[in-house]
Amino acid sequence: MDYIYFLANASLTLRVIEYLQRMYNPSVCSMTVIHQINGWIIKIKFKQPLTPLQHGNFKAFMNELGIPYELEIRLQMVFWSLETGQSPIDVMRRYQVAIVSHGYPDSNDIEAFRQQFTRGLGYCPETLA
């Protein structure tokens, strides 16, 4: 099952990654993280369906941090392209999106993106806090 959420900033995205690593075996899910000017879009895909209790707990956690997100057609195509094995670099070029992470949930990807983006701007935008 896929869970797609909008999060306001990098700190919340990092909390989701920590939660996934703490509560679930890392091999049971994949995560795609896209940064936009106004926030972060994350897609979490579990390889097997969650139990009803796990599903409820996961949704409750995610609803505390962000809001469920309905993908526009362009982002649907981004996620579809990634799922069919296309290179994240090619997908970023084609659809003009910033794919920060794709695959195993890894906080290092978020931290590296945040540092590079902030260094380039000279200040830290609210979405990268």
Side-chain angles (χ1 to χ4, degrees):
M1 177 159 207
D2 297 351
Y3 299 87
I4 302 171
Y5 278 82
F6 176 85
L7 303 173
N9 59 46
S11 297
L12 296 174
T13 305
L14 291 170
R15 284 186 60 195
V16 171
I17 293 171
E18 290 170 12
Y19 177 81
L20 289 170
Q21 291 173 340
R22 189 179 62 236
M23 299 301 290
Y24 301 95
N25 181 337
S27 66
V28 302
C29 68
S30 65
M31 182 174 177
T32 302
V33 179
I34 295 176
H35 178 259
Q36 295 188 317
I37 295 295
N38 61 342
W40 300 74
I41 297 169
I42 63 169
K43 179 178 181 181
I44 300 162
K45 183 174 190 138
F46 289 93
K47 293 179 182 173
Q48 297 177 357
L50 299 178
T51 66
L53 178 61
Q54 289 174 322
H55 171 76
N57 288 342
F58 184 70
K59 294 230 357 143
F61 175 79
M62 292 303 297
N63 287 334
E64 286 181 16
L65 300 182
I67 56 173
Y69 190 78
E70 287 291 324
L71 294 175
E72 60 197 48
I73 192 70
R74 182 175 65 92
L75 287 174
Q76 287 177 11
M77 294 304 296
V78 166
F79 286 116
W80 178 81
S81 297
L82 292 170
E83 287 176 10
T84 60
Q86 295 180 39
S87 158
I89 301 290
D90 292 340
V91 175
M92 284 192 288
R93 284 186 185 132
R94 185 176 315 115
Y95 295 104
Q96 299 296 300
V97 296
I99 300 169
V100 178
S101 181
H102 177 66
Y104 173 76
D106 187 358
S107 58
N108 293 327
D109 294 341
I110 309 304
E111 291 291 356
F113 177 81
R114 181 161 59 175
Q115 288 176 1
Q116 289 176 357
F117 199 99
T118 302
R119 190 176 314 125
L121 285 176
Y123 71 97
C124 183
E126 188 176 327
T127 62
L128 295 176

